[in-house]
Amino acid sequence: MGTEQQKKGQIQIFAKNIRGVAQGQILEESRYTKNTAGGRHVQNGSGGGVNNDANRGRQIPKTTEVLEIERLTDLDDGSANDGTGTNTKKGLIFGKTYTFKVKKYTNGAPPNLKSIRWALSYTDPDTGIYYENNLQGDVRGETIKIAFTGNTNTCGSNVEIKAYISNIKKGGVLKIWKHNRFRWFDGKRVEDELKERVDNKKPWSINQSGTSLCGMACLFYLFAKEQPQAYKTFAKRLFRTGEATFNQYTVKPAEELLEKKVNTKGYPMNTRNMPLIDYVTLAGTRNTDNPKYKGGDEEFRAINWPWVVTNLSEKLLGYKEVSSNGVYDPTKKPRHYNKRIVWKMIEDINEQISQGYRLMLMIDSDLIDETEDKLSNLFALEYHWVVLETPIATLQNLNGKGEIFYTLNFKVYSWGGNTVYLKAPITMDHFIHNYYGYVKVK
């Protein structure tokens, strides 16, 4: 007993073999083992090592996540889409490259910056479908350059630039507005104009204004009148993405039209206050067909010849029966017509209407709105397209000698209205001298 007391604090074990198993942590085999735990020698089986003078626990690697992202490239101006027509705000634009960088982490930067991943998320404005990552491939690093080219579907929406390490839902997010392709046009006004034409059932509100896009106006009047929802979808997509397809025809105007700026009243420049959505559809379609038309008040380049109207009636509007009848070259028109021939022309026009055809008449604008000839326009050709809304009525009259003569009256769609009657019934001579022909569709 005394001997054991004198050796207080020490344990000695003498054995041929000692074997200790502690859940795979410590294993000792020897003929003689001496453990002294006096602060000099410690074994930690769980750590798998031997430490002298200290019993340190196992080191757990620290975790971190992206907390904040910053944009290094300046944003660009575009419409604020607030209904004012002229207010602007900053945003991304299609076709430009922007640089983004991780600005802050939750627990410092990770040892390997390649562990940082990037994504671009957005909700499709047309379908409401949410796309979590629109970037191509596995994009990594602390800094990224995103070229906003190729996919126009993100235009006209708020995009989310995301950076994360382990969980996309817990990383950093930077929300930024991306302008519509017609970025200077007020989106709120565009919505209001479409509501007027479709929801309020006023397709005749479509107005070429100060441009020579009367043929396009007639086509889109019929489009909005007979296929209102398809017209609305087409027009909205063209405004937002700069490209839209219906039936067999794709409208994709040039950059100079997409970048068209507005005047102090919020209307497209050089169009005499043309409604925004009409510029998008009418000018956009004409420029697609004739790139020489630059989207302004040019007259000759904007003229819609009969073959243009028939082609778009088939390919864009999808009419199955399309044909043209008339003499469109004024140099080939007879100077004098026999009255019987004029009567047959009028009877033919009325017969087409009775058979359910829609008729677009190519006329000289003097036919429905006779203006005084001046030296500046004495020899000018004032080609104009209208949609005939009623049969041509013949009115019997008596002249001062008691002789019977006939005048004509009818209603057309033209210049943003379908209540356009003639200022006064016209003579048959006036009709034939200002009428060229028609395109009928069904």
Side-chain angles (χ1 to χ4, degrees):
M1 289 291 292
T3 305
E4 292 176 1
Q5 290 175 351
Q6 289 176 356
K7 296 181 179 180
K8 189 184 293 185
Q10 295 185 14
I11 299 175
Q12 288 185 328
I13 301 174
F14 296 91
K16 185 176 181 179
N17 250 323
I18 292 180
R19 186 174 204 174
V21 179
Q23 297 183 348
Q25 297 177 0
I26 300 175
L27 177 61
E28 293 185 0
E29 292 189 32
S30 68
R31 296 180 64 86
Y32 176 81
T33 300
K34 181 178 180 180
N35 283 351
T36 302
R40 297 189 301 263
H41 184 82
V42 179
Q43 286 183 305
N44 290 327
S46 63
V50 176
N51 301 323
N52 288 320
D53 296 326
N55 187 2
R56 297 194 301 269
R58 180 163 56 110
Q59 295 292 320
I60 301 175
K62 66 178 181 179
T63 59
T64 189
E65 187 55 271
V66 175
L67 183 63
E68 191 176 338
I69 302 168
E70 63 179 334
R71 170 185 42 78
L72 303 181
T73 309
D74 290 339
L75 295 176
D76 296 271
D77 286 326
S79 174
N81 305 305
D82 58 0
T84 64
T86 54
N87 286 346
T88 61
K89 68 177 181 181
K90 299 289 185 180
L92 305 167
I93 59 172
F94 180 83
K96 183 175 177 178
T97 299
Y98 296 84
T99 302
F100 303 91
K101 183 181 180 181
V102 176
K103 184 178 181 180
K104 190 182 296 185
Y105 301 89
T106 58
N107 197 15
N112 181 9
L113 296 181
K114 289 296 184 181
S115 64
I116 304 170
R117 300 179 178 181
W118 292 83
L120 188 153
S121 306
Y122 75 101
T123 299
D124 188 315
D126 295 334
T127 65
I129 297 175
Y130 180 74
Y131 294 91
E132 190 165 65
N133 189 10
N134 192 52
L135 296 181
Q136 298 295 319
D138 186 15
V139 183
R140 295 173 177 257
E142 193 174 47
T143 303
I144 182 179
K145 289 185 176 182
I146 301 178
F148 287 89
T149 57
N151 182 16
T152 59
N153 210 35
T154 54
C155 295
S157 69
N158 286 304
V159 300
E160 299 175 336
I161 311 299
K162 298 180 177 179
Y164 64 99
I165 295 172
S166 59
N167 189 334
I168 191 172
K169 299 185 183 303
K170 294 183 179 180
V173 180
L174 182 62
K175 293 183 180 181
I176 310 177
W177 168 254
K178 186 177 178 185
H179 292 300
N180 295 296
R181 286 295 275 129
F182 284 86
R183 63 169 166 144
W184 299 107
F185 289 7
D186 191 322
K188 175 64 169 57
R189 284 196 177 185
V190 168
E191 285 290 339
D192 291 344
E193 290 169 356
L194 284 172
K195 182 178 180 180
E196 181 76 355
R197 287 151 179 71
V198 177
D199 300 350
N200 296 343
K201 296 180 172 53
K202 296 179 181 179
W204 43 264
S205 298
I206 294 172
N207 193 347
Q208 72 187 76
S209 196
T211 70
S212 296
L213 296 169
C214 50
M216 297 296 104
C218 291
L219 289 167
F220 276 91
Y221 166 65
L222 293 177
F223 194 0
K225 182 180 180 181
E226 301 192 342
Q227 303 177 78
Q229 291 305 318
Y231 158 78
K232 187 176 184 178
T233 299
F234 177 90
K236 287 179 67 174
R237 184 158 188 83
L238 182 56
F239 165 67
R240 188 173 68 82
T241 69
E243 180 177 350
T245 300
F246 188 66
N247 289 321
Q248 304 175 46
Y249 199 84
T250 297
V251 174
K252 189 177 181 181
E255 192 71 19
E256 56 199 309
L257 273 77
L258 297 171
E259 286 293 317
K260 186 75 168 180
K261 291 193 174 182
V262 296
N263 60 25
T264 55
K265 294 181 179 180
Y267 296 104
M269 296 283 288
N270 303 321
T271 64
R272 273 190 281 163
N273 300 342
M274 185 177 186
L276 299 178
I277 198 59
D278 298 337
Y279 182 89
V280 170
T281 51
L282 275 55
T285 303
R286 190 68 187 104
N287 172 259
T288 299
D289 179 76
N290 179 19
K292 292 181 179 179
Y293 172 65
K294 304 302 181 182
D297 55 1
E298 315 99 290
E299 291 190 16
F300 185 76
R301 301 297 184 189
I303 290 177
N304 308 255
W305 301 107
W307 55 87
V308 175
V309 176
T310 56
N311 181 57
L312 291 173
S313 295
E314 293 175 348
K315 294 184 177 180
L316 175 62
L317 301 188
Y319 287 113
K320 303 302 181 184
E321 297 181 43
V322 178
S323 62
S324 173
N325 182 22
V327 179
Y328 302 103
D329 185 344
T331 63
K332 295 181 180 180
K333 283 187 63 175
R335 293 199 173 196
H336 302 284
Y337 282 87
N338 185 290
K339 285 286 191 296
R340 291 180 182 178
I341 295 177
V342 179
W343 274 112
K344 285 184 178 181
M345 286 183 177
I346 294 170
E347 288 172 355
D348 173 60
I349 289 172
N350 288 341
E351 177 64 20
Q352 304 309 321
I353 291 180
S354 69
Q355 292 182 14
Y357 286 96
R358 284 71 170 158
L359 263 64
M360 291 172 274
L361 309 183
M362 188 176 185
I363 62 173
D364 189 290
S365 60
D366 281 350
L367 179 66
I368 59 173
D369 187 16
E370 189 170 10
T371 56
E372 181 183 354
D373 285 329
K374 301 177 182 178
L375 187 60
S376 59
N377 68 355
L378 185 60
F379 301 103
L381 295 174
E382 298 174 307
Y383 287 126
H384 187 54
W385 286 95
V386 297
V387 176
L388 186 61
E389 293 283 88
T390 64
I392 298 177
T394 56
L395 309 173
Q396 184 173 298
N397 302 267
L398 287 175
N399 63 19
K401 298 179 181 180
E403 298 171 333
I404 295 175
F405 71 98
Y406 291 91
T407 56
L408 309 175
N409 200 12
F410 49 87
K411 185 175 78 168
V412 299
Y413 155 76
S414 179
W415 283 304
N418 73 334
T419 58
V420 179
Y421 282 95
L422 306 179
K423 289 181 178 179
I426 59 175
T427 65
M428 297 179 73
D429 283 340
H430 182 80
F431 173 82
I432 200 61
H433 287 140
N434 292 283
Y435 170 75
Y436 295 102
Y438 65 73
V439 171
K440 68 175 185 179
V441 298
K442 185 163 67 172

